[in-house]
Amino acid sequence: MRNNNEPSVIPTAAGARAHHKNSVIPTVAGAPATATWRNLLFLCSITTLALLTSASAQVTSDRILHSGREPENWLTYSGDYAGRRHSLLDQINASNVSKLTAKWVYQTNTGGRIEGTPLAVDGILYETGQDDRAFALDARTGRPIWLYQHQLPQDIRPCCGRVNRGFAILGDRVFLGTLDAHVIALDRKTGSVLWDQTSADYKLGYSFTVAPLVIKDTVIIGVSGGEYGIRGFIDAYDAATGQRRWRFYTVPGPGEPGHDSWEGDSWKIGGAPAWNSGTYDPATNQVFWPTGNPSPSNRGEGRAGDNLYSNSLLALNADTGKLNWYFQFTKHDEHDWDATQVPVLVDSNGKHLILQANRNGFFYVLDRTTGKLVSANAYGKQTWSDSKDAEGRPIAKKDASPTLEGHTVCPGALGTTNFYPPTFDPQTGLLYVTTRDQCDTFSTAPQPYEAGHAYYGSAYFPSDEAEPYRGFLKALDPATGEVKWKFEHTSPTWSGVLSTAGGLIFTGDAEGNFIALDAPTGKTLWHFQTGGAVYAGPMSFAVDGKQYVAIAAGSSLFTFALP
Amino acid sequence: MIVHNRALQSALLFLPLLLLICPARAADDRNPLANDPKAAKAGEYEFRINCAMCHGLGARGGGRGPDLTRAKKKHATTDADLFQVISNGITGTAMPGNGIGGQGVGMTDDEIWEIIAYIRSQEVKSSAASGNADHGKQLFYGEANCSSCHMINGRGGHLGPELSGVGASRTHDAIVDSVRNPSRILAWGLTESSKEFAQEYETVTVTTADGQQIKGVTLNEDNFSVQLMDAEEQIYMFEKDKLRSFSKSRESMMPAYNQTALSDRNLEDLIAYLASVGTK
């Protein structure tokens, strides 16, 4: 039986506005709620919160499973297991958001950037930053309760910034993956290390940047390192002891299904990292985890074949790590189009779906029971595919491959979207995603593999066109694949997106603005200049009956609330 | 070189041995891999991965980074300078430090030396500019009217990019292209650490709430505000939602200099002047 805390409906586009007005939203009970009822629910939550705080409540797996029952908290990277990044709080809404004001700023002073989404638990925020620094803050004031700095070796291999995307939480501990490929449990009252597990050899290019995902009593985490010729994997650790329970290699070894999709020994250095958080369907006990590029990222020669399970979505049994099904978005990728976008779970007309706006420029809807493709529609500028196979999957043009002197393809290596998390708003039924229109000239050259060294087999660089890069926030309709509205940024941004029951969309821009927009129309309602580019996903929480919205910008964390 | 000091003589004799013993260090003045024929080839791979995005394939300069095939570089002379620049970046420019900010993948010392070996292998001997620099200077401040918008070493206008360093950082062809077809690739202006891309010299036209129309180049812009300079060198700052109209164009305010406006020969003189200033 399917768990009812999943979103129960995708309202039709025509009904979106009405839903917003009448506040028909899925609730924890799966029943529609009126605005009054929902406010009552919120008050109940706040009351419960007071009780929980005084009791110093543990974060049980049951609480995470039913995160919709406590909208004042934010218990996973995406806010719920479905990956919707949707807050049920509605104190801040379209009619009052213009009064939103900064409450506090926490500066890490680390330089670099925060890519993490803070967790909020009973009045405390848990966040990670540059160089695997981590901290717990008083959510009302921003004052730190503890600080943790992981001691990193000098010679780590951080391909793409010394970044981290946040914690997972269970019981009395928070869990962190590090740039030297450790998985660490910290005491959530003190930041003390409770266990520290070495997952792989960082000198070979393995690292963690992802926010882990806790399912039941297990910490699930995927590895980074697709730029170094690693062999990707997804690991599960016992939250109590740190003992590894299972490992799923995203590149199958000899004798395993999919192994013949690799030429010769190329599987040993095949990449397929798993560096962004997956989602979970409790009804089927399946974890959905996306994977990244095959290595070397921009050279297909030497790894002939589809290169499974690179650029795929994997449906794994959460207890055993056994593969139930997979869907590969980009076969034999040569453009660095990692499929590492958060797979969003929604239900519509009795169908259990997964939405993923993919880095390759197509918006995919899959049936999450079978892994079969439902639809794939371009949602940004793309030139690599002009046809689809029998299942409806976009297939690459013959001449889309990189050449020695360079060949221009859209999207570029940074993709139509990237790791920045999208949001699904059950009130409008739309998926909101940050996008980029940019084409790159992809060049390729032979490169010998050398352990621990960068292994791209290529270069890519901006195409020599007058056309500037363009960045958007787009509202996609899962039913049709249509772009319902778009907001064009001054330049492309790396910000994630949050939707709230207040009818709002929050996002950030590359110039440092944090922005609120009207969810049904895309109209800009409010903005604040933080002074730092946004590379993180926004979230919302409440303390003492007051709703806050939080965003990391630069290396600082900002919160906002009504006066 | 004749060495009179015997002690120094002995030291020099042992120097190659010392270099063999000592590991590569940033303090080395010379590239320890300079004589390794494989280093330049390995450096080409590293260059493609870490540098080509801005500096172009073959190090000939891209839209973003300068041409590195010039023997004379603005921020580095010795191999040790290059090592320092690659390791730490150049403050106040878009040049990041090694592996910082998402650029590049983080190189070891040896890999940086390989890249330096590659850059050296790509350098072309400074071909003496064919033009007449003195006449180029006269054109810049006179007939060609460049200085009404561009400044060199403190003299000139404010509207266009400052050109003191352009002769050292851009290829001959890139400068020709900028003069003949200034709208094809707009020049980059302000570089802010919070922005992924530097501000370009786009043209913006606004109508203020009281109906005044102002046209200028963007000094900076975000989703909600714009800062611009008009042809009179006035700086204006606006919140976009308070404007009656706002439009941007990638048609540069710089006129395209065709053969009639500036002959090939005069353009060569101008480039010779820019080169003479830039390499000082």
Side-chain angles (χ1 to χ4, degrees), chain A residues 159 228 436 443 445-446 448 453-454 456 459 461-462 464 466 468-469 489-490 494 509-511 513 524 527 529 533, chain B residues 45-46 48-49 52-53 57 99 101-102 104-106 111 183-185 194-197 200 221-224 240 248 250:
Chain A
C159 92
Y228 295 89
R436 168 188 296 252
S443 155
H453 285 230
Y456 288 30
F461 40 93
D464 187 20
Y469 314 139
H489 289 289
T490 301
W494 292 82
D509 73 23
E511 287 77 26
N513 289 296
T524 305
H527 60 92
Q529 174 57 253
Chain B
Y45 299 132
E46 295 293 335
R48 280 171 165 265
I49 294 166
M53 186 169 172
L57 284 184
V105 287
E111 288 168 337
S183 297
R184 200 179 73 81
I185 298 174
S194 67
K195 289 177 77 156
E196 186 184 354
F197 300 107
E200 291 176 291
E221 187 196 356
D222 70 6
N223 276 322
F224 305 101
K240 289 179 181 172
K248 273 197 298 184
R250 299 186 66 77

Side-chain angles (χ1 to χ4, degrees), chain A residues 6-12 26 74 78 80 82-88 342-348 353-356 363 365 368 421-433 473-479 496-501 504-505 519:
Chain A
E6 295 297 327
S8 52
V9 287
I10 299 180
T12 62
W74 192 273
S78 295
D80 64 13
R84 289 176 300 173
R85 199 167 282 267
H86 177 76
S87 170
L88 292 171
V342 174
V344 182
L345 315 186
V346 300
D347 293 347
S348 173
L353 304 175
I354 296 183
L355 314 180
Q356 196 199 51
F363 173 34
V365 180
R368 73 172 180 269
T423 181
F424 177 78
D425 182 351
Q427 295 184 167
T428 60
L430 302 175
L431 184 80
Y432 301 83
V433 59
L473 170 64
K474 289 184 179 174
L476 308 181
D477 184 346
V497 195
L498 167 76
S499 63
T500 73
L504 298 172
I505 300 296

Side-chain angles (χ1 to χ4, degrees), chain B residues 12 15 17 45 48 88 96 140 145 147 159 177 185 192 218 220 225 228 234 265:
Chain B
L12 282 174
L15 193 58
L17 187 61
Y45 299 132
R48 280 171 165 265
N88 302 323
F140 186 88
N145 208 23
S147 66
L159 189 63
D177 190 43
I185 298 174
E192 266 188 293
T218 41
N220 208 351
S225 74
L228 62 98
Q234 283 291 317
R265 191 187 175 90

Side-chain angles (χ1 to χ4, degrees), chain B residues 227-279:
Chain B
Q227 296 75 34
L228 62 98
M229 180 183 286
D230 72 0
E232 309 301 315
E233 301 191 342
Q234 283 291 317
I235 292 178
Y236 294 89
M237 296 163 285
F238 297 110
E239 289 173 273
K240 289 179 181 172
D241 63 356
K242 299 203 169 69
L243 292 169
R244 200 180 288 173
S245 76
F246 171 83
S247 64
K248 273 197 298 184
S249 158
R250 299 186 66 77
E251 193 64 36
S252 173
M253 282 183 77
M254 173 166 158
Y257 284 74
N258 59 20
Q259 297 282 348
T260 319
L262 190 72
S263 70
D264 279 344
R265 191 187 175 90
N266 280 346
L267 179 53
E268 288 306 314
D269 291 349
L270 196 59
I271 291 171
Y273 169 58
L274 294 172
S276 73
V277 176
T279 52

Side-chain angles (χ1 to χ4, degrees), chain A residues 191-508:
Chain A
S192 304
V193 175
L194 297 177
W195 53 257
D196 179 341
Q197 187 69 258
T198 304
S199 176
D201 184 357
Y202 74 86
K203 291 184 176 177
L204 296 176
Y206 292 87
S207 64
F208 289 118
T209 56
V210 64
L213 183 70
V214 162
I215 297 173
K216 300 176 192 171
D217 60 351
T218 305
V219 183
I220 297 179
I221 191 165
V223 77
S224 303
E227 287 68 30
Y228 295 89
I230 62 158
R231 183 183 176 205
F233 58 78
I234 299 160
D235 274 356
Y237 294 90
D238 182 326
T241 64
Q243 292 304 304
R244 198 166 85 204
R245 289 207 168 128
W246 53 258
R247 167 170 290 183
F248 181 85
Y249 276 108
T250 54
V251 179
E256 293 176 322
H259 180 70
D260 59 1
S261 68
W262 294 89
E263 178 183 352
D265 281 344
S266 61
W267 64 276
K268 290 179 179 171
I269 51 172
W275 54 277
N276 215 352
S277 295
T279 50
Y280 175 61
D281 184 352
T284 56
N285 194 34
Q286 285 188 111
V287 57
F288 302 101
W289 208 281
T291 64
N293 64 272
S295 291
S297 54
N298 298 54
R299 186 168 183 81
E301 203 177 299
R303 55 171 170 84
D306 283 353
N307 305 142
L308 296 173
Y309 301 99
S310 66
N311 294 352
S312 299
L313 183 65
L314 305 174
L316 305 174
N317 180 302
D319 297 332
T320 63
K322 189 175 161 290
L323 181 69
N324 291 333
W325 56 255
Y326 71 93
F327 182 88
Q328 190 175 36
F329 299 94
T330 309
K331 297 181 177 186
H332 188 70
D333 176 31
E334 295 173 295
H335 300 97
D336 203 8
W337 291 332
D338 299 68
T340 48
Q341 294 77 50
V342 174
V344 182
L345 315 186
V346 300
D347 293 347
S348 173
N349 300 326
K351 286 211 169 96
H352 309 300
L353 304 175
I354 296 183
L355 314 180
Q356 196 199 51
N358 191 278
R359 186 158 159 175
N360 71 14
F362 285 87
F363 173 34
Y364 295 81
V365 180
L366 306 179
D367 183 320
R368 73 172 180 269
T369 310
T370 61
K372 298 286 182 216
L373 182 65
V374 175
S375 64
N377 292 284
Y379 67 103
K381 189 174 176 182
Q382 71 83 21
T383 61
W384 67 276
S385 173
D386 58 3
S387 61
K388 292 178 176 174
D389 66 12
E391 298 167 72
R393 184 196 323 247
I395 48 178
K397 289 196 270 190
K398 289 267 182 290
D399 65 350
S401 292
T403 60
L404 182 63
E405 285 309 310
H407 178 63
T408 300
V409 171
C410 325
L414 300 179
T416 306
T417 193
N418 209 295
F419 65 84
Y420 24 82
T423 181
F424 177 78
D425 182 351
Q427 295 184 167
T428 60
L430 302 175
L431 184 80
Y432 301 83
V433 59
T434 293
T435 77
R436 168 188 296 252
D437 281 352
Q438 173 181 339
C439 308
D440 282 342
T441 301
F442 290 88
S443 155
T444 183
Q447 180 188 0
Y449 169 77
E450 205 177 330
H453 285 230
Y455 186 52
Y456 288 30
S458 70
Y460 64 87
F461 40 93
S463 78
D464 187 20
E465 292 176 9
E467 180 77 9
Y469 314 139
R470 300 172 71 185
F472 301 90
L473 170 64
K474 289 184 179 174
L476 308 181
D477 184 346
T480 62
E482 283 177 338
V483 178
K484 301 299 285 187
W485 58 254
K486 61 186 178 187
F487 170 79
E488 180 158 11
H489 289 289
T490 301
S491 67
T493 174
W494 292 82
S495 175
V497 195
L498 167 76
S499 63
T500 73
L504 298 172
I505 300 296
F506 287 91
T507 192

Side-chain angles (χ1 to χ4, degrees), chain A residues 96-166:
Chain A
N96 61 21
V97 69
S98 64
K99 299 189 185 75
L100 203 60
T101 184
K103 295 309 283 185
W104 53 258
V105 182
Y106 177 71
Q107 301 200 26
T108 62
N109 291 311
T110 54
R113 59 181 186 257
I114 299 179
E115 288 189 1
T117 301
L119 301 182
V121 186
D122 305 340
I124 297 177
L125 296 187
Y126 302 90
E127 173 68 308
T128 64
Q130 180 87 355
D131 279 325
D132 297 334
R133 171 174 298 217
F135 42 94
L137 306 176
D138 176 346
R140 293 175 195 81
T141 65
R143 295 296 299 155
I145 294 164
W146 53 256
L147 299 170
Y148 170 76
Q149 175 62 62
H150 183 62
Q151 295 305 308
L152 286 166
Q154 289 293 316
D155 54 345
I156 53 168
R157 270 77 165 172
C159 92
C160 313
R162 300 166 73 95
V163 297
N164 188 278
R165 287 183 212 92

